[in-house]
């Protein structure tokens, strides 16, 4: 396939939210790690569903319902294609958080005090707290991979740690939301698979920027959120290698997920249906489907190349400011810059940057153990996406300099 | 409105550019005494804030007037805190309930800093002061 032109002006124009002014300045949106903006086609898909396609799925034998069901299941197929897995291995959830909780609950009856769960200090709270709960409920031991002082992983040391501790589950992030650092997953998964451990990958940050081939990655579970991949909020994806997925206990129960219901007991349908009870987020699924179409037109290799260039440009500019400390790993990153200016509180700079129309995040980024590990109270986080321009970077850097001047 | 408050906020009121407003707020924060570390306890922390805000609100029993002290690890929140202190410190409960911080912040062009979503602790502080004053009256 010939490399398509990556026309940034056209792309930026596809995102209506980016066309507004904040505090009389053009919005520079650098908080895509929290949630991405949505292209018009996603907004249109949701609108169209409620305007002309609305019906419940998997129920009615009428035209509208059949059409809605077809579109809904096509979205599952597209998601499976995106990750190179089977459609029946895709479960809709309300987000990455729920997907992790679903797996945690699904393992509860199998875990006991002889089991070990390995997480890492790089995790988002969503990939920490559910495992603390599982550990409390079952007596399973919860331990963390050793993380270097700079927030990177020593892969050899981590692989040895996995082989030594023989976990039943290794659950780690594909990319850190606080730093943007990409985890070198392959050797860690290999080490875990050698001792037959289950592996869950938190793909909330990586799913769009890195478009993983999950078959090749060889993990058992992978979770992500639609809203961090151009799609609507309230929808997430759980991928489970079919055998591992179907072996999980059911999470929530009710209609749709059952096979036969008697008054005192029921039998369940096989995965993914047994994890999808109740009326699903149909509009969200169709919006996500449009998001995947949009990503498909851009091609992941173009996206990655553009995002890498933009990141390199931003890093160059940022390090040229005296007094800036960057905490992100710069050589292997999804496009997130975590930094501080001298010992200034990130809250102040984020508030001042907002005056210039610049949206960044300040704080611990739902990764308190990581902040503690790095000896920080918090950071400023500028997270880039392929719809950001080099001009956005220039405005960001110039405004940051002005904000710094305001501090003394 | 008390004279202290007028004096303290005069420069913020006069600032036309938003940058100047913030500069004045931060300068104001610098005039607040630093809370000694022994008082920066978890109990005194306003919960759920990205910035740390410590506060103590009491009524002076003899004078029946409000005593508020506080500190923050951020410049802007500390400045906003200084405004709140200037607004309420030394007032009787009756005077306190008659002063609407929202109105005053609005006049100063700072109302967005009192929204719950800012999570900066200032709103919680105002609410606590008002609740305690109400309690004292009834
Ligand atoms: C790495 C990571 N994991 C999990 C989550 C949770 O995602 P959600 O809030 O969409 O469920 C996030 C969101 O910030 C994240 O960045």
């Amino acid at each position: 396939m010939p490399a398509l032109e990556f026309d940034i002006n056209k792309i930026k124009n596809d995102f209506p939210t980016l066309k507004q002014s904040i505090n009389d300045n053009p919005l520079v949106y650098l908080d895509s790690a929290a949630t991405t903006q949505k292209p018009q086609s996603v907004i249109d898909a949701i609108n169209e569903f409620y305007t002309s396609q609305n019906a419940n799925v998997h129920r009615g034998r009428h035209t509208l319902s059949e059409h809605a069901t077809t579109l809904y299941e096509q979205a599952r197929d597209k998601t499976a294609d995106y990750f190179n897995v089977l459609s029946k291995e895709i479960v809709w959830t309300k987000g990455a958080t729920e997907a992790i909780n679903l797996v945690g609950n699904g393992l509860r009856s199998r875990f006991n005090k002889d089991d070990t769960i390995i997480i890492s200090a790089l995790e988002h709270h969503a990939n920490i707290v559910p495992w603390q709960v599982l550990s409390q409920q079952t007596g399973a031991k919860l331990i963390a991979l050793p993380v270097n002082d700079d927030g990177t992983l020593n892969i050899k040391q981590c692989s040895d740690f996995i082989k030594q501790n023989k976990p039943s589950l290794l659950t780690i992030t594909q990319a850190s939301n606080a730093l943007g650092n990409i985890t070198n997953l392959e050797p860690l998964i290999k080490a875990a698979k050698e001792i037959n451990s289950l592996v869950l990958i938190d793909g909330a940050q990586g799913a769009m920027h890195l478009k993983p081939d999950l078959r090749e990655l060889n993990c058992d579970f992978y979770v992500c959120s639609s809203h961090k991949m151009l799609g609507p909020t309230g929808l997430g994806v759980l991928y489970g290698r079919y055998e591992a997925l179907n072996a999980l206990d059911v999470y929530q129960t009710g209609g749709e997920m059952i096979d036969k219901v008697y008054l005192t007991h029921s039998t369940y349908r096989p995965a993914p249906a047994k994890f999808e009870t109740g009326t699903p987020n149909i509009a969200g699924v169709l919006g996500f489907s449009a998001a995947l179409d949009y990503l498909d037109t851009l091609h992941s290799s173009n996206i990655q190349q553009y995002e890498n260039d933009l990141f390199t440009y931003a890093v160059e500019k940022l390090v040229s400011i005296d007094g800036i400390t960057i905490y992100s790993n710069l050589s292997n990153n999804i496009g997130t810059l975590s930094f501080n200016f001298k010992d200034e509180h990130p809250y102040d700079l984020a508030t001042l940057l907002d005056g210039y129309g610049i949206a960044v995040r300040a704080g611990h980024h739902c990764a308190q153990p990581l902040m503690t590990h790095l000896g920080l109270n918090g950071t400023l986080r500028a997270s880039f996406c392929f719809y950001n321009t080099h001009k956005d970077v220039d405005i960001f850097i110039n405004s940051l300099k002005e904000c710094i001047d305001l501090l003394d | 409105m008390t004279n202290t408050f007028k004096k303290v906020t005069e420069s913020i009121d006069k600032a036309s550019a938003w940058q100047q407003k913030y500069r004045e707020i931060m300068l104001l924060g610098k005039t607040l005494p630093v809370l000694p570390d022994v008082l920066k306890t978890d109990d005194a922390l306003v919960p759920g804030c990205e910035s740390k805000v410590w506060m103590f609100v009491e009524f002076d029993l003899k004078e029946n007037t409000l005593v508020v002290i506080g500190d923050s690890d951020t410049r802007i929140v500390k400045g906003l805190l200084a405004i709140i202190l200037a607004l309420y410190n030394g007032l009787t409960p009756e005077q306190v309930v008659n002063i609407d911080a929202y109105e005053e912040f609005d006049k100063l062009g700072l109302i967005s800093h009192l929204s719950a979503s800012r999570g900066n602790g200032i709103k919680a502080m105002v609410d606590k002061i008002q609740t305690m004053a109400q309690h004292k009256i009834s």
Side-chain angles (χ1 to χ4, degrees):
Chain A
M1 171 142 337
L4 295 178
E5 186 90 30
F6 192 83
D7 184 348
I8 179 64
N9 293 321
K10 185 188 163 300
I11 288 167
K12 186 155 187 175
N13 204 36
D14 289 336
F15 291 78
T17 2
L18 297 177
K19 292 176 197 164
Q20 64 188 301
S21 287
I22 300 285
N23 300 319
D24 297 328
N25 291 296
L27 166 65
V28 174
Y29 186 75
L30 302 181
D31 198 17
S32 294
T35 195
T36 59
Q37 296 302 340
K38 322 302 171 198
Q40 188 63 49
S41 58
V42 168
I43 301 164
D44 289 345
I46 296 167
N47 196 19
E48 191 180 350
F49 172 70
Y50 283 123
T51 308
S52 61
Q53 300 164 334
N54 178 51
N56 212 331
V57 292
H58 297 150
R59 313 222 171 156
R61 279 292 73 86
H62 55 81
T63 307
L64 266 187
S65 173
E66 276 174 13
H67 185 54
T69 305
T70 304
L71 294 174
Y72 176 82
E73 287 305 325
Q74 275 171 356
R76 196 189 305 272
D77 297 342
K78 275 184 213 170
T79 308
D81 280 351
Y82 183 87
F83 291 119
N84 190 28
V85 294
L86 305 175
S87 296
K88 64 176 184 177
E89 296 175 314
I90 298 293
V91 177
W92 301 123
T93 66
K94 72 180 167 71
T97 303
E98 190 183 45
I100 295 171
N101 277 280
L102 191 157
V103 176
N105 275 275
L107 292 172
R108 194 190 315 156
S109 68
R110 266 195 268 161
F111 272 40
N112 59 47
K113 65 174 183 18
D114 297 328
D115 290 292
T116 296
I117 304 164
I118 295 186
I119 58 173
S120 87
L122 286 161
E123 304 310 311
H124 186 281
H125 295 162
N127 198 26
I128 298 177
V129 186
W131 307 117
Q132 293 172 343
V133 171
L134 183 65
S135 155
Q136 283 154 11
Q137 287 170 335
T138 63
K141 204 160 99 190
L142 180 63
I143 55 175
L145 282 180
V147 173
N148 296 336
D149 287 346
D150 65 356
T152 58
L153 296 174
N154 176 327
I155 292 300
K156 164 93 179 54
Q157 203 186 357
C158 288
S159 304
D160 290 347
F161 183 88
I162 292 167
K163 285 178 206 163
Q164 249 163 38
N165 286 287
K166 300 198 175 18
S168 312
L169 173 71
L170 168 70
T171 174
I172 48 172
T173 194
Q174 186 181 16
S176 150
N177 67 305
L179 302 174
N181 297 3
I182 299 169
T183 316
N184 183 2
L185 290 174
E186 288 77 9
L188 302 182
I189 295 176
K190 190 160 167 278
K193 284 290 143 198
E194 273 172 32
I195 48 146
N196 285 324
S197 169
L198 288 171
V199 176
L200 184 150
I201 302 300
D202 177 355
Q205 292 295 328
M208 181 180 72
H209 298 289
L210 304 171
K211 192 176 191 263
D213 178 328
L214 297 183
R215 189 65 67 218
E216 200 174 299
L217 196 58
N218 196 27
C219 57
D220 299 281
F221 303 105
Y222 183 92
V223 305
C224 61
S225 284
S226 145
H227 72 93
K228 291 183 202 279
M229 328 174 52
L230 314 185
T233 52
L235 182 76
V237 174
L238 165 65
Y239 153 77
R241 187 173 50 76
Y242 195 76
E243 204 183 315
L245 180 66
N246 205 31
L248 294 177
D249 291 335
V250 295
Y251 176 45
Q252 292 184 339
T253 56
E256 272 298 290
M257 50 85 69
I258 36 72
D259 179 24
K260 292 217 161 50
V261 178
Y262 308 94
L263 271 180
T264 53
H265 70 281
S266 301
T267 57
Y268 309 131
R269 294 166 60 196
K274 72 170 174 175
F275 301 113
E276 293 180 349
T277 189
T279 298
N281 181 359
I282 308 167
V285 168
L286 299 197
F288 183 56
S289 186
L292 292 177
D293 287 342
Y294 187 86
L295 286 171
D296 200 39
T297 62
L298 298 183
H299 291 275
S300 61
S301 57
N302 288 338
I303 292 177
Q304 281 170 27
Q305 195 190 337
Y306 178 83
E307 287 183 341
N308 279 335
D309 288 351
L310 190 70
F311 183 70
T312 308
Y313 183 69
V315 170
E316 244 170 56
K317 294 263 168 169
L318 190 60
V319 295
S320 74
I321 301 177
D322 224 24
I324 293 281
T325 310
I326 300 180
Y327 307 104
S328 302
N329 180 4
L330 301 181
S331 55
N332 215 354
N333 198 295
I334 52 167
T336 294
L337 277 173
S338 220
F339 64 97
N340 276 324
F341 173 71
K342 296 190 176 156
D343 54 2
E344 292 296 333
H345 200 292
Y347 180 97
D348 288 323
L349 279 169
T351 305
L352 296 173
L353 280 167
D354 180 58
Y356 287 96
I358 297 173
V360 295
R361 176 119 180 231
H364 54 60
H365 319 297
C366 295
Q368 284 182 24
L370 177 62
M371 291 294 136
T372 307
H373 184 81
L374 299 173
L376 299 169
N377 278 324
T379 68
L380 279 160
R381 182 185 73 179
S383 50
F384 296 87
C385 182
F386 58 78
Y387 46 60
N388 290 122
T389 62
H390 287 67
K391 191 171 160 214
D392 286 346
V393 174
D394 292 340
I395 299 175
F396 161 57
I397 295 294
N398 290 337
S399 307
L400 181 60
K401 286 179 185 160
E402 292 192 23
C403 293
I404 287 170
D405 285 345
L406 281 175
L407 291 177
D408 45 57
Chain B
M1 208 47 47
T2 61
N3 281 331
T4 346
F5 179 73
K6 280 214 189 88
K7 226 172 75 205
V8 159
T9 56
E10 197 182 356
S11 54
I12 298 175
D13 201 23
K14 276 213 226 116
S16 48
W18 65 266
Q19 287 96 332
Q20 194 55 32
K21 254 194 214 313
Y22 275 120
R23 200 189 263 280
E24 296 298 340
I25 291 171
M26 291 189 283
L27 283 174
L28 198 54
K30 280 191 185 164
T31 65
L32 269 195
V34 177
L35 209 60
D37 281 345
V38 286
L39 291 179
K40 290 181 179 170
T41 58
D42 284 352
D43 283 347
L45 266 183
V46 180
C49 302
E50 282 284 343
S51 50
K52 284 196 176 122
V53 182
W54 298 270
M55 69 163 178
F56 295 89
V57 188
E58 290 295 341
F59 277 93
D60 180 319
L61 288 180
K62 221 165 78 218
E63 310 276 342
N64 194 33
T65 53
L66 191 72
V67 183
V68 195
I69 56 170
D71 201 347
S72 168
D73 60 351
T74 80
R75 294 170 185 258
I76 294 171
V77 178
K78 194 162 177 182
L80 297 170
L81 227 131
I83 299 177
I84 297 293
L85 264 56
L87 194 57
Y88 289 116
N89 251 336
L91 301 187
T92 63
E94 289 77 14
Q95 289 169 318
V96 167
V97 296
N98 280 319
I99 291 180
D100 183 356
Y102 290 81
E103 206 178 301
E104 299 305 326
F105 267 61
D106 199 18
K107 280 192 219 151
L108 291 171
L110 301 175
I111 190 68
S112 68
H113 293 280
L114 268 182
S115 75
S117 68
R118 282 273 168 165
N120 60 15
I122 299 295
K123 181 181 157 43
M125 190 159 197
V126 171
D127 292 349
K128 177 154 182 190
I129 290 170
Q130 287 296 346
T131 316
M132 283 185 65
Q134 286 287 0
H135 202 77
K136 199 83 185 165
I137 293 170
S138 56

